[in-house]
Amino acid sequence: MPDQETPRAPTGQEIADWVRQRIRTGRFVPGQRLVEVDIIRQTGASRSKVREALKRLEGEGLVEIEEFRGASVRSSTLDEVRQIYRARMALEGMAAHDFTQNADPALLARLQALQDQLDACVRERAPDRFGRLNNEWHRLIVEGSGNKVIADHLQRLNVPIHRLLFESFYDEERLQTANADHQAMLALILAGDADGAERAMRQHIGDGFETLARIEDEFYR
Amino acid sequence: MPDQETPRAPTGQEIADWVRQRIRTGRFVPGQRLVEVDIIRQTGASRSKVREALKRLEGEGLVEIEEFRGASVRSSTLDEVRQIYRARMALEGMAAHDFTQNADPALLARLQALQDQLDACVRERAPDRFGRLNNEWHRLIVEGSGNKVIADHLQRLNVPIHRLLFESFYDEERLQTANADHQAMLALILAGDADGAERAMRQHIGDGFETLARIEDEFYR
DNA sequence: GATGACGATATTGTTGACAATTTTATCAAT
DNA sequence: ATTGATAAAATTGTCAACAATATCGTCATC
């Protein structure tokens, strides 16, 4: 008898992941209502699991739940995005510091390889691919820092701004300065200058917010 | 007709608070199993609410839920505590920086008043009271920084180490150096030296972990 | 006394029915 | 056409019963 296909019902965590993904990729937009039955239909999960997942996401600040009105995707003000970036500066700066102190050669090689690919993206003007690789670059540093607590908190911070993280790279100038930042940071890391790497990471993220704020301002004008 | 006593059933959030409190104050110790019926008996909540609360706490990393075995208080290794302190250094340092830049006179006055009380505790050798006021001191800076995101994440970080935050102050020497740190930091804040305040805060928290690690080491010897 | 099988009890997981509330549709009055 | 009232439908909140699993105590066996 061949392996039976077992489409077991998704767990609460998996449904939460599913919703998170849809929020990240913009298929669920801020303000949109998340009706339990719809999610049940689309995921095949039971109602309790869906409710559990929504509660979970509420705890992460990703959705809002009003009594008898259900869940909806929470939207962030520009000021809240600013606060998120401030937290990112602090945590990811620390991660860069610790990564520089702890990183083993294998990780350094992977980072170097990623950097080469990023350079290629700049030459070929491929902002989309750059965005994806940029995410990997940052994640590699965070995961490589050996601090799971910081990694967890950063992951949570990033979800609501995930889409914004790609926007800026359609600006040719930002693409180049961001890549230059990465190159400089890599040099500092390889040189073992932990404090320098931390400062550079904070500056880099701070600049990232500045361009973002500029774009948003134009958008809302 | 006088106001009727209305003991409405507690919400999931309130039960979660209740459990958090008990974990903080050590009435629920790491490893202890949290049986649903017990919590129902003690809080008067319905089972769904209790389950919701436990899931919530699992999301915060405070309890562990195993299938068909239920929830138990998660215990942190010393390395995880180290990671938490590392995250605190980053976030609370940033908070101190922003507090210095933004704080209005009213907050500065409150901070000064707290400092006076802390000084008194040192003179009178009152480590318990010092611990409580110390918490307030730190919280005042975080709340006063104007960054709700950072405040939220710090609150979460602090729950599992809440009891540890008091332990160190029974060491006379730590009590004095901690207070000296506070005094120096207050001076930097009043002088408007944001970078200095940030560095001082990070150093202060880092030192806090060092004494803690020393105590734990002795304990486990 | 130690070990393992077995049943009784305790505990958690899931489902479905029903209550409370909001949202939508309908239609009369102006 | 707009408003407002009313009923119907949709949606969420709650609870209790039942299923699945784990835990504990008992007893026979070695």
Side-chain angles (χ1 to χ4, degrees):
Chain A
M1 180 163 147
D3 272 349
Q4 185 67 26
E5 176 70 10
T6 56
R8 92 186 140 63
T11 82
Q13 183 63 59
E14 285 166 341
I15 301 165
D17 286 343
W18 184 83
V19 174
R20 255 190 297 264
Q21 172 100 359
R22 298 220 138 186
I23 292 178
R24 273 210 312 255
T25 56
R27 298 195 43 149
F28 286 163
V29 297
Q32 179 169 343
R33 289 184 53 181
L34 305 174
V35 178
E36 295 176 358
V37 201
D38 294 343
I39 301 181
I40 291 172
R41 268 197 287 267
Q42 295 186 63
T43 62
S46 69
R47 195 168 158 218
S48 7
K49 292 298 181 187
V50 171
R51 288 176 65 78
E52 173 194 329
L54 291 174
K55 285 279 165 62
R56 212 179 270 254
L57 294 167
E58 185 195 24
E60 294 176 20
L62 225 70
V63 313
E64 216 167 11
I65 299 185
E66 264 178 300
E67 191 161 22
F68 293 113
R69 293 217 40 222
S72 53
V73 182
R74 225 172 71 86
S75 59
S76 316
T77 64
L78 182 59
D79 186 61
E80 195 179 349
V81 174
R82 200 202 90 248
Q83 295 180 20
I84 292 177
Y85 266 79
R86 212 84 188 120
R88 281 190 63 205
M89 284 171 68
L91 290 174
E92 217 165 319
M94 183 65 84
H97 180 279
D98 292 359
F99 180 91
T100 305
Q101 287 192 329
N102 307 335
D104 59 292
L107 284 182
L108 292 175
R110 276 187 60 195
L111 194 63
Q112 178 74 63
L114 264 175
Q115 184 58 54
D116 292 343
Q117 290 182 276
L118 281 163
D119 291 342
C121 288
V122 175
R123 280 196 305 274
E124 298 160 14
R125 289 173 174 67
D128 237 37
R129 192 165 136 77
F130 186 92
R132 275 195 308 270
L133 290 171
N134 178 65
N135 275 355
E136 271 191 59
W137 196 92
H138 281 266
R139 197 170 50 214
L140 180 58
I141 291 202
V142 172
E143 310 270 329
S145 76
N147 192 318
K148 269 195 184 315
V149 172
I150 288 184
D152 272 7
H153 282 259
L154 272 171
Q155 185 140 16
R156 289 202 171 168
L157 282 170
N158 280 336
V159 176
I161 58 173
H162 185 267
R163 299 214 58 214
L164 301 177
L165 291 177
F166 289 80
E167 304 280 331
S168 352
F169 299 131
Y170 289 99
D171 180 309
E172 173 77 17
E173 197 186 321
R174 174 60 190 158
L175 191 73
Q176 293 197 354
T177 60
N179 199 49
D181 286 355
H182 283 188
Q183 288 172 339
M185 223 181 307
L186 181 54
L188 288 165
I189 290 171
L190 291 173
D193 181 357
D195 288 340
E198 173 165 12
R199 270 194 303 273
M201 179 64 92
R202 287 175 63 148
Q203 178 81 39
H204 172 62
I205 294 176
D207 290 351
F209 175 71
E210 293 301 329
T211 29
L212 203 65
R214 200 146 16 89
I215 292 172
E216 290 291 300
D217 260 12
E218 283 165 16
F219 184 75
Y220 286 119
R221 182 150 304 153
Chain B
M1 181 162 142
D3 273 349
Q4 185 66 26
E5 177 71 13
T6 55
R8 96 186 137 62
T11 82
Q13 183 63 60
E14 285 166 340
I15 301 165
D17 286 344
W18 184 83
V19 175
R20 253 189 298 265
Q21 173 100 2
R22 298 221 139 185
I23 292 178
R24 273 210 312 255
T25 56
R27 297 195 42 150
F28 286 163
V29 297
Q32 179 169 345
R33 291 186 50 182
L34 304 175
V35 178
E36 296 175 357
V37 204
D38 294 343
I39 301 181
I40 291 172
R41 268 197 286 267
Q42 295 185 64
T43 62
S46 70
R47 201 170 152 214
S48 0
K49 291 298 180 188
V50 171
R51 288 176 66 77
E52 173 194 329
L54 291 175
K55 283 282 164 65
R56 211 180 270 255
L57 294 167
E58 185 196 23
E60 294 175 22
L62 226 75
V63 314
E64 216 168 11
I65 299 185
E66 262 179 302
E67 192 162 18
F68 294 112
R69 294 216 40 224
S72 54
V73 181
R74 226 172 71 85
S75 59
S76 316
T77 65
L78 183 59
D79 185 62
E80 195 180 350
V81 174
R82 201 203 88 247
Q83 295 179 21
I84 292 176
Y85 266 79
R86 213 81 188 121
R88 281 190 64 205
M89 284 171 68
L91 290 174
E92 216 164 320
M94 182 66 85
H97 180 279
D98 292 359
F99 180 91
T100 306
Q101 287 191 329
N102 307 335
D104 59 292
L107 284 182
L108 291 175
R110 277 187 58 198
L111 194 63
Q112 177 73 65
L114 264 175
Q115 184 59 55
D116 292 343
Q117 290 182 276
L118 281 162
D119 291 342
C121 288
V122 175
R123 280 195 306 272
E124 299 159 14
R125 290 173 174 66
D128 236 37
R129 194 166 135 75
F130 186 92
R132 274 195 309 270
L133 290 171
N134 177 65
N135 275 354
E136 271 192 59
W137 198 92
H138 281 267
R139 196 169 53 214
L140 180 58
I141 291 202
V142 172
E143 310 269 329
S145 77
N147 192 319
K148 270 196 184 312
V149 172
I150 288 184
D152 273 7
H153 283 258
L154 272 171
Q155 185 141 17
R156 289 204 170 165
L157 282 170
N158 280 335
V159 176
I161 58 174
H162 185 266
R163 298 212 59 213
L164 300 177
L165 291 176
F166 289 80
E167 304 279 331
S168 354
F169 299 130
Y170 288 99
D171 179 310
E172 175 77 17
E173 197 185 323
R174 173 62 190 156
L175 192 73
Q176 293 197 354
T177 61
N179 199 49
D181 286 354
H182 283 188
Q183 289 171 338
M185 224 181 308
L186 182 54
L188 289 166
I189 290 170
L190 291 173
D193 181 356
D195 288 340
E198 174 165 13
R199 270 194 303 273
M201 179 63 91
R202 286 175 65 150
Q203 178 80 40
H204 172 62
I205 294 175
D207 290 351
F209 175 71
E210 293 302 329
T211 28
L212 204 65
R214 198 146 17 89
I215 292 171
E216 289 291 301
D217 261 11
E218 282 165 17
F219 184 74
Y220 284 119
R221 182 149 305 156

